[in-house]
Amino acid sequence: MAVTGNGSASGSGPLAGVRVVELAGIGPGPFAAMLLADLGADVVRVDRPGGGALAVDPAHDLTNRGKRSVLVDLKSADGPARVLDLVERADVLVEGFRPGVAERLGVGPADCHARNPRLVYGRMTGWGQEGPLAHTAGHDIAYIAVTGALGMIGNPGEAPAVPANLVGDYAGGSLYLVIGVLAALQHVRATGAGQVVDAAIVDGTAHLTAMIHGMMAAGGWQDRRGANLLDGGCPFYGTYETSDGGYMAVGALEQQFYDTFVELLGIGDRVPARKDVARWGELREAVAARFRTRTRAEWTAVFEGTDSCVAPVLSLREAPGHPHLAARGTFTDVGGIVQPAPAPRFSATPAAVGGGPARPGADTRSVAADWDVPALLAKKDG
C-alpha cells in the first residue's frame, strides 16, 4: 500500500502491517505509540478538536513523529462509533485516560473487544487501574517518589535530584507498555484472543529497581543516597568538575579499568587503595583536585579510546556531535529537527522515522481510505 499523508500505511520496520489506534494524551502514552511507529507500525492518533493539554507546537512534538492524525470528538454523538470503526480494523489501541474515563466515553475494553476480540488494549497510567490512588492526579515525580527510585538519586544530605521525567514516564511507563503490547500481540498470534495491558508507571519503575533490592537484601546496598557503589558514593563511579566548568563521568568499577583510570589521571602512585572504603573521601578529593587542573576537552583527549570508562558529560545540544554517536547515526535530522534515531536496530527489518510530527487532523482522508473507514469523512471535524 502506498505511503499517504504524514505517516505510512506500511512501515519498513519489524512491526510493518501492525495497526495502532492512539487516543491522544500527553507524556508516556504518545511516546509508547511513537516507539511503535518507529518500529514500522501504522499509528493513527485520534486527536481532540481544540488540541491537548500541553502548549507544544505540533510541528515540534517529536512524540508524534511517524504517525497520522484524525480529529474525533469522543463526546459527540457519533464520536465513539468512529473510533470503534478504527478499532475494528486495528491490532492495538493505546490510551492514557484516568481509570473509567474510556468506559464512560464508550471506548473502553468491553466496547472495543465487542467489535474486535483480537485487539490488544494498552492502558497507560501513573497509578494503575486499581488501588487507593488510581483515580487521583499525579506526575512522574510522584510515581518515582513512592517506589523508592527518586530517593536513591542525589547527594547525601541534600534533596533528591530530579532526573527529568525519564525514569518514570518513559522507562517505567512507555517502555513497559510497549513490552506488554508486544507480548500480548504474540499471545494473539498464538491464541487469537486479545487482552488488556495495564501499564502503571509505579509498577514499571518499581520493577526497574529489582537489582538494587537484591543487593540490599544481600547487605550490599545501604538504603540511603550517596553511600553505594552505583549512586555516587563510590569515588570511582561519579562525576567531576573540570577547570572550565565542564564535567567528566567516571565509571571505573573493575580493577583493570580503575588501574588505567588512575594511571591516565596521573594519581596512581599517590592515592589510597580503591578497596579501602574508610579512605574513599580522601580518594575522592584527590580525583576531584586532579580533574580541576584541565578542561573537559583536555581530559576527553586523555581518556579517549582507552579502557578507563571515562567520558565527557555532554549537553543535549552537544550529544549529536559526539564522534561515536555521529558515526553510528544515533541522532538523525528529520524536517530540520535533530532528534534521536529509532532504537534498537534490526538486521533484517531496519526501522526508520516515518515522517515528521503528525499535525492534528491532517491525515483524516488518507486514513479513511487506507483503513476503509468512510465515516471519518462524514463531518468536517477531521
Side-chain angles (χ1 to χ4, degrees):
M1 189 175 293
V3 173
T4 312
N6 177 66
S8 67
S10 55
S12 60
L15 293 184
V18 173
R19 287 180 167 178
V20 179
V21 174
E22 176 198 352
L23 303 185
I26 59 174
F31 186 86
M34 180 207 79
L35 179 50
L36 295 173
D38 282 354
L39 298 181
D42 181 11
V43 179
V44 172
R45 178 177 166 96
V46 179
D47 279 301
R48 298 183 292 273
L54 290 183
V56 177
D57 179 0
H60 293 89
D61 188 352
L62 294 180
T63 63
N64 286 328
R65 72 185 187 187
K67 305 176 184 178
R68 294 189 286 179
S69 170
V70 301
L71 289 184
V72 176
D73 183 359
L74 276 169
K75 295 183 179 180
S76 67
D78 63 345
R82 294 194 196 183
V83 170
L84 292 175
D85 283 345
L86 289 169
V87 164
E88 186 174 345
R89 295 156 176 80
D91 301 289
V92 179
L93 180 141
V94 172
E95 62 95 354
F97 299 130
R98 291 199 204 188
V101 172
E103 286 83 351
R104 291 197 298 272
L105 291 172
V107 291
D111 302 295
C112 290
H113 283 141
R115 291 286 291 273
N116 182 358
R118 297 175 60 88
L119 183 75
V120 174
Y121 194 105
R123 316 198 81 164
M124 182 75 263
T125 61
W127 303 114
Q129 297 298 310
E130 57 188 18
L133 297 176
H135 292 274
T136 63
H139 279 296
D140 175 288
I141 194 168
Y143 309 138
I144 68 174
V146 301
T147 61
L150 180 60
M152 293 166 49
I153 305 170
N155 296 321
E158 298 178 6
V162 180
N165 67 331
L166 301 178
V167 174
D169 278 354
Y170 299 136
S174 304
L175 297 187
Y176 277 86
L177 176 59
V178 170
I179 290 170
V181 164
L182 297 179
L185 283 173
Q186 174 61 24
H187 179 74
V188 172
R189 181 179 180 182
T191 69
Q195 62 180 303
V196 176
V197 178
D198 174 8
I201 294 172
V202 290
D203 295 347
T205 304
H207 193 259
L208 289 170
T209 66
M211 183 190 77
I212 305 299
H213 276 277
M215 294 174 68
M216 193 163 58
W221 189 276
Q222 299 183 58
D223 195 13
R224 56 190 178 91
R225 286 189 298 284
N228 301 284
L229 196 64
L230 302 175
D231 66 356
C234 172
F236 40 93
Y237 196 89
T239 57
Y240 291 93
E241 188 174 9
T242 57
S243 64
D244 58 345
Y247 286 87
M248 298 295 291
V250 177
L253 291 176
E254 292 81 3
Q255 183 68 56
Q256 68 270 31
F257 304 145
Y258 176 82
D259 291 341
T260 302
F261 163 59
V262 293
E263 178 184 354
L264 292 174
L265 192 63
I267 61 172
D269 57 347
R270 314 197 296 273
V271 293
R274 67 193 293 271
K275 293 184 179 181
D276 189 351
V277 177
R279 299 182 66 186
W280 268 8
E282 180 183 341
L283 176 56
R284 180 180 290 104
E285 284 302 317
V287 172
R290 183 63 178 153
F291 268 119
R292 286 194 293 266
T293 65
R294 297 186 186 182
T295 66
R296 189 186 70 176
E298 289 171 332
W299 283 121
T300 298
V302 169
F303 292 107
E304 190 73 38
T306 71
D307 281 347
S308 57
C309 299
V310 178
V313 178
L314 303 183
S315 70
L316 290 173
R317 293 190 185 278
E318 291 176 316
H322 186 276
H324 182 78
L325 305 186
R328 283 184 59 80
T330 299
F331 290 86
T332 186
D333 187 319
V334 178
I337 303 177
V338 176
Q339 56 198 274
R345 304 183 184 198
F346 300 85
S347 61
T349 54
V353 178
R359 309 298 179 92
D363 308 293
T364 302
R365 188 168 299 280
S366 68
V367 173
D370 293 342
W371 286 40
D372 191 23
V373 185
L376 289 174
L377 301 174
K379 291 183 180 181
K380 295 180 180 180
D381 63 355

